[in-house]
Amino acid sequence: MEITKTKSGIKISGVRDLSLPETLCCGQAFRFVPYENGFSGGAWDKKAFIRLDNDCLYIDGGTLADKDFWCDYFDLSLDYAALRKEFAAIHPILSEAVRYAPGIRVLRQNPWEALCSFIISQNNNIARIQGIIERLCLNFGDEKDGFYSFPTAQKLSLLNEEDLAVIRSGFRSRYIIDAARKVAGGEIDLCAVSLMPTDEARAELMKICGVGPKVADCTMLFGMHKLECFPMDVWMKRAMAGPFKGMKPQDFGAYAGIAQQYIFHYSRKNPEIFK
DNA sequence: GCCCAGGTATAAA
DNA sequence: TTTATACATGGG
């Protein structure tokens, strides 16, 4: 991989095993939207327009100072081709799933944003989740040349449920406030949680009202890069009761969370497979 | 209009 | 410990 400066940002060449639509639209991140020949959106506190041309990843808005940030964000140091090969040998349906969307990578998102996003995700659909998060950023994020960052826990901790009415998140507003107050108040230290063993970390996150095992595991997988976490939502339960009957999450190995994401995406686009 | 969504809190069995 | 139900909202 080589990273060079361009007129409007940076170029990372030699990028393998990455599809922007598959990675940004597979239900792990909610702040990127298709724009022209790429995607426009935000990661952490950075706005960017991102496009992929063969094996060159162009990040408009990026600077050489954040080159490591973007390599980390797209998890470019992990060999996904090798992982897919391992996954394919585990189960024939998983083999189909990795062939269906071989460009999925698990992003390294901001832990607080991931926590909030998946609190919002409960009993909700992806299109609407995106809308709620967009309104959350527009109303309470910090504006910097037209871009609204994801609001901090500190900012949201000062609000109440009525203040959040503008984002129309329904019953989840109470959960967002509780999460913000526990994180801002130091009762939950997301940095410390990310260093804990998985079971301990999950229990810690579940101290937040509105955070159950699913939200906790999504937070750990997408916001803390704990790749062994295996979020069990309704689709995955169906998959584990159907084609993967008899298997347990840990049977998928140390990167079970990544395998889970391939299965999840495949099952959503091919619901008949899972009945 | 109807069905349902990357679940969880709460109550009841 | 397991199972049933309410929950706010709106996309398809």
Side-chain angles (χ1 to χ4, degrees):
Chain A
M1 272 186 354
E2 190 192 354
I3 301 162
T4 51
K5 192 167 166 17
T6 66
K7 289 173 286 283
S8 48
I10 58 174
K11 168 187 174 182
I12 305 174
S13 57
V15 173
R16 311 274 177 199
D17 312 302
L18 173 65
S19 156
L20 293 179
E22 287 170 10
T23 295
L24 298 174
C25 306
C26 68
Q28 62 171 319
F30 304 96
R31 243 171 4 122
F32 280 95
V33 293
Y35 181 76
E36 291 179 358
N37 55 344
F39 285 82
S40 173
W44 293 70
D45 59 343
K46 300 178 196 305
K47 173 191 182 177
F49 170 67
I50 298 172
R51 73 182 203 279
L52 190 62
D53 182 6
N54 292 310
D55 68 346
C56 294
L57 185 64
Y58 292 88
I59 299 170
D60 286 358
T63 68
L64 278 181
D66 353 278
K67 66 182 172 63
D68 292 337
F69 169 85
W70 289 108
C71 289
D72 284 346
Y73 186 72
F74 284 102
D75 202 22
L76 297 182
S77 60
L78 188 57
D79 185 349
Y80 277 71
L83 284 182
R84 291 201 311 276
K85 197 171 173 185
E86 286 177 32
F87 292 153
I90 291 175
H91 193 284
I93 297 279
L94 181 50
S95 177
E96 282 179 43
V98 301
R99 271 188 291 120
Y100 175 73
I104 289 179
R105 282 174 173 269
V106 169
L107 301 168
R108 288 181 188 259
Q109 298 184 68
N110 177 287
W112 162 246
E113 176 175 343
L115 172 61
C116 255
S117 297
F118 284 94
I119 285 174
I120 290 166
S121 81
Q122 64 178 266
N123 200 48
N124 212 342
N125 60 67
I126 291 176
R128 187 163 168 261
I129 295 165
Q130 289 175 326
I132 292 171
I133 290 173
E134 185 181 9
R135 290 189 289 276
L136 184 63
C137 295
L138 283 174
N139 283 282
F140 305 110
D142 290 323
E143 192 269 346
K144 198 171 74 179
D145 45 60
F147 172 69
Y148 290 83
S149 65
F150 195 92
T152 62
Q154 287 70 23
K155 177 75 176 283
L156 297 183
S157 71
L158 302 174
L159 306 179
N160 55 41
E161 281 182 56
E162 299 93 76
D163 296 322
L164 284 187
V166 288
I167 71 171
R168 305 197 297 277
S169 58
F171 62 89
R172 305 164 192 84
S173 56
R174 165 180 157 233
Y175 303 158
I176 296 169
I177 299 291
D178 189 60
R181 291 185 180 166
K182 286 192 167 116
V183 169
E187 190 176 335
I188 306 279
D189 179 346
L190 293 180
C191 188
V193 170
S194 70
L195 299 174
M196 292 176 186
T198 301
D199 289 344
E200 203 179 315
R202 183 183 298 112
E204 192 68 11
L205 290 170
M206 286 174 60
K207 287 180 180 172
I208 297 164
C209 184
V211 175
K214 167 68 194 324
V215 171
D217 275 43
C218 283
T219 301
M220 292 190 286
L221 175 58
F222 302 122
M224 298 174 178
H225 215 64
K226 288 182 173 293
L227 301 178
E228 76 281 12
C229 290
F230 196 95
M232 284 287 270
D233 73 333
V234 55
W235 282 102
M236 287 309 302
K237 281 176 184 160
R238 261 180 235 175
M240 299 302 280
F244 298 98
K245 198 192 294 284
M247 290 188 72
K248 285 178 281 192
Q250 53 267 38
D251 296 332
F252 292 92
Y255 298 92
I258 300 178
Q260 174 273 165
Q261 192 60 16
Y262 285 116
I263 298 167
F264 171 77
H265 185 65
Y266 182 60
S267 68
R268 294 231 18 140
K269 300 297 173 67
N270 300 276
E272 70 283 356
I273 303 287
F274 299 87
K275 281 188 295 295

